[in-house]
Amino acid sequence: MLLIPLHTYAAHPAPPAKAEPQPPASQAVQPQVDKRTADTTRQKQRELMTEAQSAITETENALKALDEKRNRDALAALATATGKLELILARSPKLALAPVRTDVLTHDLLAKNDTVKAAIKDVRDLLRDGEVQKARQLMQGLASEVEFRTFSIPLETYPAAIKAITPLIDAGKVEEAKTELRTMLNTLVVTTEVVPLPTLRAEEQIKAAQALAEKANRSKEENDKLAQSIAAARDQLKIAELLGYGDKKDYKPMYQQIDDLDKKTAGGKWGKGWFEKIRQQLAAWRA
């Protein structure tokens, strides 16, 4: 085992622990961003398979039964687990993974562009100087995303592993069977989907701006809100680019579109169809 001593790196402050003040336009779209994250979470939960969850529960029951020297109950639990998985495969013979749990982790960095740039520069300087661990500490704060981690049963190996354990129990090799069961429970397949929060916020800013841009005879307050929404969308895309989300070459045409929208909507001008291209770019880039 490699033991690495812990250190405190005060000379290179991490991105702010507290959120830096955000412009009103960014604050205004936060409820929509939260709703989209919640909707995605609910969709992931709907995709979980009840039979697969039951198979995991029965595997845990079998391990507990063996701990309590109830070998017959353990065999019954494994038989039930096998039946659940066979039911899944009967319905979907080509299915490789049966999802049983989704964890949602949010890492949000509410900081200004200059703050992010300064932190990235510190990371680069530390790496250049060979200070890998100091850079790693600082890098941990450079994320603004929602991470969906889905744990799934590998249907190609899990049922076969259960069937291989049954003879061990019959032969009285209980400790070996318990080891195999623990291994099974610890070898679920984890798939991760990352949704960058700055791009979600940029999309919502564009939606808000579009609604105002299509309105004739806007008030001065509405014109100000429109300009603020477009500026906030640009700022969010810059943060996403700084944090390394997506391909760098995809940002330039989106910035060009936003600059074009600034000109089209200036002076109270209004119209429809102006925002379709940027919305398509954002949707395609995030897909």
Side-chain angles (χ1 to χ4, degrees):
M1 178 183 295
L2 177 62
L3 298 177
I4 300 177
L6 298 178
H7 300 279
T8 301
Y9 304 120
H12 298 275
K18 293 183 179 180
E20 291 185 336
Q22 298 297 296
S26 293
Q27 296 176 29
V29 301
Q30 191 57 45
Q32 289 86 347
V33 172
D34 293 340
K35 182 180 181 300
R36 289 181 64 175
T37 301
D39 289 345
T40 303
T41 301
R42 282 192 289 270
Q43 178 59 37
K44 295 287 183 186
Q45 294 295 335
R46 285 194 291 269
E47 293 170 358
L48 301 181
M49 305 185 73
T50 303
E51 293 87 354
Q53 292 172 322
S54 296
I56 292 293
T57 298
E58 293 298 338
T59 304
E60 292 170 342
N61 289 341
L63 183 57
K64 184 175 183 233
L66 289 178
D67 283 336
E68 297 172 354
K69 303 187 184 307
R70 294 183 289 108
N71 292 8
R72 185 172 297 179
D73 290 342
L75 290 169
L78 292 177
T80 301
T82 300
K84 297 291 184 182
L85 297 176
E86 287 176 348
L87 182 60
I88 294 172
L89 289 169
R91 291 173 179 166
S92 306
K94 295 183 180 180
L95 186 66
L97 299 174
V100 298
R101 188 179 93 235
T102 294
D103 292 347
V104 182
L105 296 87
T106 299
H107 314 273
D108 205 355
L109 175 61
L110 294 175
K112 298 176 182 177
N113 287 350
D114 289 344
T115 303
V116 177
K117 287 178 183 178
I120 292 171
K121 181 181 182 300
D122 282 343
V123 169
R124 288 173 174 161
D125 290 344
L126 288 167
L127 289 174
R128 184 194 59 216
D129 296 339
E131 299 283 2
V132 176
Q133 293 307 313
K134 293 180 182 179
R136 182 176 66 85
Q137 293 290 326
L138 188 53
M139 278 287 291
Q140 288 176 355
L142 293 175
S144 187
E145 65 195 27
V146 181
E147 185 179 343
F148 299 94
R149 293 182 186 174
T150 300
F151 296 77
S152 302
I153 292 176
L155 293 173
E156 184 177 350
T157 58
Y158 202 97
I162 290 178
K163 292 177 182 177
I165 289 170
T166 301
L168 294 176
I169 299 173
D170 286 335
K173 299 179 180 179
V174 174
E175 291 304 317
E176 189 174 341
K178 287 160 64 175
T179 298
E180 293 298 322
L181 283 172
R182 292 190 188 98
T183 299
M184 284 171 52
L185 290 168
N186 290 328
T187 53
L188 298 180
V189 176
V190 182
T191 52
T192 301
E193 177 185 350
V194 173
V195 179
L197 284 168
T199 59
L200 283 186
R201 292 189 176 111
E203 287 187 67
E204 293 302 325
Q205 297 289 357
I206 290 297
K207 287 181 186 177
Q210 181 177 3
L212 289 168
E214 293 178 352
K215 182 179 179 181
N217 301 317
R218 293 189 302 270
S219 66
K220 181 183 183 303
E221 183 182 359
E222 289 172 330
N223 283 330
D224 290 343
K225 285 183 178 179
L226 172 54
Q228 290 166 5
S229 292
I230 292 175
R234 183 189 291 109
D235 285 344
Q236 288 299 317
L237 285 177
K238 286 181 178 178
I239 288 176
E241 183 181 12
L242 285 170
L243 294 176
Y245 292 114
D247 196 325
K248 202 171 183 66
K249 67 179 176 59
D250 293 330
Y251 286 91
K252 185 176 180 180
M254 289 192 283
Y255 293 141
Q256 290 172 341
Q257 278 296 305
I258 289 176
D259 290 342
D260 189 44
L261 289 172
D262 257 336
K263 296 174 184 177
K264 285 182 176 179
T265 58
K269 295 191 290 290
W270 69 280
K272 295 186 177 182
W274 294 346
F275 287 75
E276 293 307 312
K277 188 168 184 180
I278 183 65
R279 291 188 66 169
Q280 290 171 5
Q281 287 171 328
L282 282 166
W285 178 84
R286 191 171 50 82

